[in-house]
C-alpha cells in the first residue's frame, strides 16, 4: 500500500475522516484517509500518495506533486 497513488473522493482534513480510492489487487478500493501532515486539507479530486497503512482500511496520505 505504501507508495501507491490514489484519488480523493471525500475531503481530507483536520477533524475529518476522508476517503480515497486506490488501485490495488486488480481493481480500485475505497479506504478511510487521514492527512499525514497535521492541518493539511486535501480537496476532492486531488491525487494522493499513501505514506502509511493501518489495516484493514485506513491510510495516511500526502498530496502528490504532479
Amino acid at each position: 500500500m505504501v507508495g501507491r497513488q490514489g484519488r480523493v473522493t471525500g475531503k481530507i482534513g483536520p477533524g475529518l475522516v476522508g476517503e480515497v480510492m486506490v488501485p490495488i489487487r486488480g481493481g480500485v478500493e475505497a479506504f478511510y484517509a487521514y492527512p499525514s501532515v497535521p492541518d493539511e486539507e486535501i480537496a476532492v479530486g486531488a491525487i494522493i500518495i499513501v505514506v502509511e497503512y493501518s489495516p484493514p482500511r485506513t491510510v495516511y496520505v500526502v498530496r502528490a506533486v504532479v
Side-chain angles (χ1 to χ4, degrees):
M1 281 298 296
V2 173
R4 291 189 178 268
Q5 288 188 356
R7 183 170 304 275
V8 177
T9 55
K11 183 179 176 181
I12 300 168
L16 300 173
V17 178
E19 182 185 67
V20 295
M21 299 296 285
V22 179
I24 189 165
R25 294 187 279 267
V28 179
E29 297 184 19
F31 293 86
Y32 296 121
Y34 294 94
S36 180
V37 177
D39 299 328
E40 181 179 24
E41 290 188 10
I42 306 173
V44 172
I47 303 297
I48 54 85
I49 297 175
V50 176
V51 294
E52 188 176 336
Y53 172 59
S54 181
R57 291 266 185 264
T58 303
V59 292
Y60 291 84
V61 301
V62 293
R63 185 185 329 264
V65 178
V66 288

